[in-house]
Each structure stands twice: as structure tokens, then as C-alpha cells.
Amino acid sequence: MKKILNDPNQVLQDMTEGLAAAYPNELKQLSGTTVIAKKDAPIANKVGIVSGGGSGHEPAHAGYVGKGMLDAAVAGEVFTSPAPDQVFEAIKAADSGSGVLLVIKNYTGDVLNFEMAQELAEAEGITVDKVIVKDDVAAGDQPSRRGIAGTIFVHKIAGAKAEKGRSLEEVKAAAEKTIQNVRSMGMALSPCTVPAAGEPSFQLDENEMEIGIGIHGESGIERKEIATANDIANELTEKVLNDFDFTGEAAVMVNGLGSTPEMELYIVNKKVQAILAEKGINVYKTFVGEYMTSLEMAGCSVTLLKLDDELKTLLDEPSHAPAFRI
Amino acid sequence: MKKILNDPNQVLQDMTEGLAAAYPNELKQLSGTTVIAKKDAPIANKVGIVSGGGSGHEPAHAGYVGKGMLDAAVAGEVFTSPAPDQVFEAIKAADSGSGVLLVIKNYTGDVLNFEMAQELAEAEGITVDKVIVKDDVAAGDQPSRRGIAGTIFVHKIAGAKAEKGRSLEEVKAAAEKTIQNVRSMGMALSPCTVPAAGEPSFQLDENEMEIGIGIHGESGIERKEIATANDIANELTEKVLNDFDFTGEAAVMVNGLGSTPEMELYIVNKKVQAILAEKGINVYKTFVGEYMTSLEMAGCSVTLLKLDDELKTLLDEPSHAPAFRI
């Protein structure tokens, strides 16, 4: 394992402190926690938006804290759900009395711990609601699907709606519409290594790739010979298109999983755009970069979000989050 | 070599087309070239800013094309200087009659080819001047030093000055001040592989790191046993601080070279900030992420830019470039 670390068991604290230290005018770390919040949170008369999960997905989620997106993000150990008391601290930091929406990726631990935190908060009189993101078309029926890169669009849309001073119910409805309209599919050329484990979570031969991997070092649904960028773009995009009717306008995200050069993401994007043009899907906005990573995994995912007028407007609203400035 | 590519000899064209396709409302690729320019370039009554170099450093340089930064960027093959005729096309695209400033990284091929392009442009009556960035303190005396991540600050400052409608002479002076005030130092845990070569440019054992690497797969100035993040941050920052008097205010960039997880960059940043606080250097703004990469090299660099009131103001001006939105 070659990593730039101090102590493999100290990465969560080192990372959150280093992130807060990078943006001292915009973010704060809640003392004694792994919660990063807006410097001026809670914001009066605004629904608070809270997300989080295991670390190792940077810039998710703390990089998305800022005006127009999240009010607070809570990080667990690498690929491990944050404990309910930490999520509870994030909720308290985000609540100004207008209620808090939790954006949860669909993993058993995350759902359980965020729901326990919701109960703790409600017991103290805070109004909390939640949405669960399940955009990964790789495996399973919709209710059991994982949340991956599409989660960033949910942050953006919910954050923009909340910024407009809308009610918790209205913010939740916009987030739910986003979840209904977003699909993702990923692949990897190499696995990743959790620092405290010291060994990669699976092995791939020099000529192999894995289709349908998750973002927690899980192996995928199919292992096959490595294909061209065009074939990879085609396979990922087709799986997404076959799962939902994207006729009309869409936003595209070509997301790097950690160690894929941006050059390669642009090569994939070229083909994704060509496929969508051929299908008559109008691309309103494209995002290429590392948005939801899996440590140093090599690979990428393709996300499509079907847009209507409301979602387009909300997508275009300003965001001041360090990792998503518009 | 595991990469997401179509043809190793076609990466430059595929990449530039994929990049232009991602930002069709903001950028355009000049037909038959590898030049990416602002959609609305040339901008009337504004000095044009042009940069570029070999590809493999994405988002450098095309990701920095946009209002407030570059007017055009020209890309060569991977780690190879763009030909003079391509640079000439970029100059023509950027010139509105107010003149063009070339921001060149200090490599023999880049300097030669950009200067030849300058001559071609001047022969057609375009006023062109240049600055040469040499921020890498790793090796050699100042005149022979390489240009690395500090180049991004030169783009930002020159771009902001040009945006204010200042003369070519004034824009050049701001760029030169930035170059005088910026220093960088890098290290790697792993080499990178040029697609057309198919093999890594050097080898490192499992317990080794390389200090003072360049961004073109060059090996470094010293190979040693891999150290902690704190020791690495200390070594890079001390080398930078020993080369220039940063007393006062500074901007910091902790730059990932391609496959280093953002988590690790934040861990390095924590220590860099602690060192600077201890030295009494006030950090005005911090940038953590992948700004000047070397394909999938694992490692990072630390850049400091000493700021005065003019540079602070210019650093804070808006930028709409895809890879540097402020």
C-alpha cells in the first residue's frame, strides 16, 4: 500500500481537519466531531440540507458544503457509515428552525444511522425528513440499488431549492424528483485499498476490467477483457438509457473514481455525447471530473439526470461549495 | 498499461474533442487544430492570454480557458510541445487587436515553439509578448527551472488583469510579479505511463518515494524511503520556504498529480497550514485538488504564492474557466 498518510487509523480526523483548514472563511469543523458545516450555519429561515457517509469519496461530501448546496456533511471512517450521534450533530448544526432534509445514499448502514439520528433530533423538537438516493443501475431492483455519483445532483437541486427559502416539503419534493430522474453506471480498471486494511479489496488482471463496481471497493457484476474507451462509454451509457426514458433534456456527469486521468474522462465524454446526440437527447449541461471517488480506484461512472424546467433552473443557481462552484 | 483509451496515438484529438463537447456554450475547438478557445474569443479591447504545452496535465491548460483566465490553450501530444503553427492559431484566436500575452512553462521545446509562433504572429502584425514560468525549486538555478503548478496562478492573475482592460505591458507586469513570487516543489509515490510508450518512465519500489519529480514523468532529485504525510509536507514546504521570503500573506496550492486521493491531499494540507502558521505566514486562500497533473502519477506538489494587495485583488476576481471557477 503506497499512500500519503500519517497513521492509517487517523485518516478521518487528519482529512477533515485538513479540509476545514483549506476553507476557513467558508467552512467550520464542529469541535470533537467529523462534521463539516457552513461557517455561518444554521441559516435563518432556510431548510438545512445534511448529507454524508463513509469517507474515501472526496470531495464527497464535505466539498459540497456551501451556499447553494449542503449546510453540513458528516464523514465516517473510510467506507463506513458515520455513527448516529455524529449525524445528529450535523442536523443540529444545520437546523435554524425551518427543518432539515437528510440526503442519504442507499446503504444499509447509512440508512440505519441517519434514521437513528433523525429520531434523536425529532426527540429534541427538530423537524427532519429524508430522501434516499439509489441511482446505480448496476445491480438489483430499484428499491435495493446503491447511491453513487447521482447523489451530487440531489445535493445541488435540494440545496438550490432550500436557498430559495422554500419549505421542507417543497425541498424534499425537488430532491425526490431528482432521485426519480437520475441513473448512473460505473466500471473500474483497478481496485482501491482502504488504509486500515492495507490490501486491495479485489484483484484484476492486467487485461481485465470490472463493470458495475460500487464506490466502496465492492467488486462489480461482470468481469471482462478491457475494452476501448468508446466501448466502455457505450456499455455504461446504454445501461443507463435502458433503465429510464431520458427523452428530452439531460445533464451528464462523467465521474472519475480516483486515479483515472482527466484526459481519459474527456475521451469517454466524447463518446457519451455522441451517443446522446444520436438518440436525440439534448445535453443541457455536462460535468467531467472527480465528484464521487472511491479512494484511488481507476475507472469512471456515467450519470444522466433528466431535466425539466424546474430542475434546469435549480441546476443553474449559484453554488459556492468548494467542489462545485457555479 | 491499463487506460481508458481508443487508440494510444489518438488521445490528443479524442481528449480535446471530448473537452470541447463538455462545455459547448463556453469553449470551442478551432477546426483542424488542438486549440481550445473561449466561445466568444477574441474579446474586443482585451489583451488575449494564451498558454499551453504537452497534454497529460489536464485540467491544464484547456480547463483554464474562460472569462477571467485564458482566451485560448494549445495542446501538444502527451508531454510534447505543441508545434509553432498550432500556437500561432491560438494567438490568432485570442487577438482582438489589443495584443496577446503568452504564458509559457520553462521547457526548451515549449519556449522554442511558442517563440517561433510569436514571430509568425508578429510577421502578421499581431503584438505578442511572453512570460516564462519557472516555479519548480527542485532542481537547478532559477533561470533553468521548470514551470509546474505555479503556472495556474500566473493564468489567474494575468487573466484577471486582462479582464480589467489593462494594456499588454500592464498585464505582463502582473504576470511577471506572480512569477517572481511563486515557488513549487513536488514528490511522487509512483510514475506514470505515456499512452504511446506503454511503459512507465521510471520504477519505484513498494517502499520508495521520489522527491523533486517533474510533471513529465522525469524522475526526481532524490529517492528515499516513503515517509509520513507530515514529513512529506514538511520537506516540500521547507524547500519552498528556503527559496524565497514568504513573510506576509500567501496563497497555497496543494496539487494532486493524478492518482492521489483527495483525502491524502487534505492530510498534506493540514500539515502545510500548520507549518505556515508556525512561521507567521498568513494564508489568504488555499487551493486543494488536481490543477496540474502528470497523467496517473501518484504524488503531490506544494505551491506558495506571496501576495500583495494587487495580487490579492486579482486572485479574487471572478473566473468562469471550467477548472477554476471563483
Side-chain angles (χ1 to χ4, degrees):
Chain A
M1 178 180 70
K2 292 187 95 165
K3 287 177 183 287
I4 304 178
L5 302 175
N6 294 306
D7 175 347
N9 297 308
Q10 192 60 29
V11 295
L12 175 57
Q13 206 58 39
D14 277 0
M15 184 267 287
T16 47
E17 288 179 20
L19 195 147
Y23 310 105
N25 300 322
E26 295 152 293
L27 306 182
K28 63 184 175 191
Q29 180 167 13
L30 304 187
S31 178
T33 77
T34 58
V35 176
I36 302 284
K38 270 184 205 159
K39 184 79 175 283
D40 54 357
I43 314 294
N45 304 314
K46 195 189 84 68
V47 169
I49 313 286
V50 169
S51 192
S55 54
H57 307 301
E58 292 70 31
H61 294 274
Y64 302 114
V65 175
K67 189 172 157 62
M69 285 185 88
L70 305 180
D71 292 272
V74 52
E77 296 290 342
V78 176
F79 298 167
T80 303
S81 298
D85 64 312
Q86 298 283 306
V87 182
F88 181 34
E89 294 300 323
I91 293 172
K92 285 191 285 187
D95 180 55
S96 67
S98 301
V100 171
L101 183 71
L102 305 179
V103 179
I104 312 171
K105 300 197 297 304
N106 194 27
Y107 300 96
T108 310
D110 281 356
V111 173
L112 197 69
N113 289 358
F114 275 72
E115 283 179 348
M116 284 176 66
Q118 178 177 0
E119 285 173 27
L120 292 171
E122 286 170 344
E124 292 209 2
I126 302 174
T127 307
V128 180
D129 209 339
K130 66 173 187 285
V131 295
I132 298 179
V133 189
K134 37 198 172 190
D135 55 314
D136 186 359
V137 302
D141 293 332
Q142 237 223 319
S144 66
R145 283 179 179 172
R146 305 173 289 204
I148 56 173
T151 309
I152 313 308
F153 284 133
V154 183
H155 294 167
K156 177 67 186 78
I157 298 295
K161 192 83 178 180
E163 206 64 44
K164 290 176 174 295
R166 309 304 283 267
S167 70
L168 179 57
E169 193 180 359
E170 290 169 310
V171 172
K172 180 182 177 179
E176 286 287 16
K177 190 202 281 184
T178 309
I179 291 169
Q180 287 301 319
N181 284 12
V182 71
R183 300 289 186 281
S184 301
M185 176 80 187
M187 58 75 61
L189 294 181
S190 75
C192 59
T193 298
V194 174
E199 298 288 338
S201 49
F202 60 91
Q203 296 287 349
L204 279 172
D205 281 348
E206 184 57 28
N207 67 338
E208 286 179 330
M209 65 177 184
E210 187 101 0
I211 301 288
I213 44 78
I215 55 170
H216 296 95
E218 314 97 315
S219 54
I221 53 168
E222 190 186 1
R223 185 167 296 196
K224 53 167 84 171
E225 199 176 338
I226 185 167
T228 64
N230 285 350
D231 286 346
I232 290 168
N234 202 54
E235 178 155 5
L236 300 183
T237 310
E238 286 294 336
K239 284 242 167 61
V240 164
L241 290 174
N242 287 341
D243 199 78
F244 188 72
D245 180 7
F246 284 94
T247 307
E249 284 193 287
V252 176
M253 180 176 281
V254 179
N255 172 58
L257 291 175
S259 67
T260 295
E262 199 166 305
M263 163 183 279
E264 297 175 28
L265 300 180
Y266 281 118
I267 292 173
V268 170
N269 181 57
K270 178 185 164 188
K271 183 64 178 176
V272 171
Q273 301 286 337
I275 294 165
L276 297 177
E278 196 179 293
K279 304 271 184 193
I281 295 167
N282 183 28
V283 177
Y284 182 69
K285 207 158 204 165
T286 301
F287 301 84
V288 179
E290 293 186 345
Y291 291 94
M292 177 71 85
T293 63
S294 184
L295 294 169
E296 74 286 0
M297 182 174 268
C300 66
S301 61
V302 171
T303 298
L304 293 186
L305 169 65
K306 181 171 178 158
L307 296 170
D308 61 12
D309 287 345
E310 181 196 19
L311 295 183
K312 276 160 63 174
T313 304
L314 293 170
L315 192 61
D316 284 342
E317 289 291 317
S319 160
H320 297 182
F324 206 98
R325 295 196 200 269
I326 288 191
Chain B
M1 178 179 71
K2 291 188 96 165
K3 288 177 183 286
I4 304 176
L5 302 174
N6 293 306
D7 175 348
N9 297 309
Q10 193 59 28
V11 295
L12 175 57
Q13 206 59 38
D14 276 359
M15 185 266 289
T16 47
E17 288 178 20
L19 195 146
Y23 311 106
N25 299 322
E26 296 152 292
L27 307 181
K28 64 185 174 190
Q29 179 167 14
L30 304 188
S31 178
T33 76
T34 58
V35 176
I36 302 285
K38 270 183 207 160
K39 184 79 177 280
D40 53 355
I43 313 294
N45 304 314
K46 194 189 84 69
V47 170
I49 313 285
V50 169
S51 192
S55 53
H57 307 302
E58 292 69 31
H61 293 274
Y64 302 114
V65 175
K67 187 171 158 65
M69 284 186 88
L70 306 179
D71 293 88
V74 52
E77 296 289 341
V78 176
F79 298 168
T80 302
S81 297
D85 65 313
Q86 298 283 306
V87 182
F88 181 34
E89 294 300 324
I91 293 172
K92 285 191 285 189
D95 181 55
S96 67
S98 302
V100 171
L101 182 71
L102 305 179
V103 179
I104 312 170
K105 298 197 300 303
N106 194 27
Y107 301 96
T108 310
D110 282 355
V111 173
L112 197 70
N113 288 0
F114 276 72
E115 283 179 348
M116 285 175 66
Q118 178 177 0
E119 285 173 28
L120 293 170
E122 286 170 345
E124 291 209 2
I126 302 174
T127 306
V128 180
D129 209 339
K130 66 172 188 287
V131 295
I132 299 178
V133 189
K134 36 198 173 192
D135 56 314
D136 186 1
V137 303
D141 295 332
Q142 238 225 318
S144 66
R145 283 179 179 170
R146 305 174 288 205
I148 55 174
T151 309
I152 313 308
F153 284 133
V154 183
H155 294 168
K156 178 68 187 77
I157 299 294
K161 191 83 178 179
E163 205 64 43
K164 289 174 172 296
R166 310 304 283 267
S167 70
L168 179 55
E169 192 179 0
E170 292 169 308
V171 173
K172 180 182 178 179
E176 287 286 16
K177 189 202 280 186
T178 309
I179 292 169
Q180 287 302 317
N181 285 12
V182 72
R183 300 288 187 281
S184 300
M185 177 80 186
M187 59 75 62
L189 295 181
S190 75
C192 59
T193 298
V194 174
E199 297 289 337
S201 48
F202 60 90
Q203 295 288 349
L204 279 172
D205 281 348
E206 184 57 29
N207 66 339
E208 285 179 331
M209 64 176 184
E210 187 101 1
I211 301 288
I213 44 78
I215 55 170
H216 296 94
E218 314 96 313
S219 54
I221 54 168
E222 190 186 1
R223 185 167 296 196
K224 53 166 84 172
E225 198 176 337
I226 185 168
T228 64
N230 284 351
D231 286 347
I232 289 168
N234 203 53
E235 178 155 5
L236 300 182
T237 310
E238 286 294 337
K239 284 243 167 59
V240 164
L241 290 174
N242 287 341
D243 198 77
F244 188 73
D245 180 6
F246 283 94
T247 307
E249 283 193 289
V252 175
M253 181 177 280
V254 178
N255 172 57
L257 291 174
S259 67
T260 295
E262 199 166 306
M263 162 183 278
E264 298 176 26
L265 301 179
Y266 281 117
I267 292 174
V268 169
N269 180 58
K270 178 186 165 188
K271 182 65 178 177
V272 171
Q273 301 286 335
I275 296 166
L276 297 177
E278 196 180 293
K279 304 271 185 194
I281 295 166
N282 182 27
V283 177
Y284 182 68
K285 208 157 203 165
T286 301
F287 301 84
V288 179
E290 293 187 344
Y291 291 95
M292 177 72 85
T293 63
S294 184
L295 294 169
E296 75 286 358
M297 182 174 268
C300 67
S301 62
V302 172
T303 298
L304 293 185
L305 169 65
K306 182 172 177 157
L307 296 171
D308 61 12
D309 287 345
E310 182 196 18
L311 295 183
K312 275 160 62 175
T313 303
L314 293 170
L315 191 60
D316 285 341
E317 289 290 318
S319 160
H320 297 183
F324 205 97
R325 297 199 199 266
I326 288 190

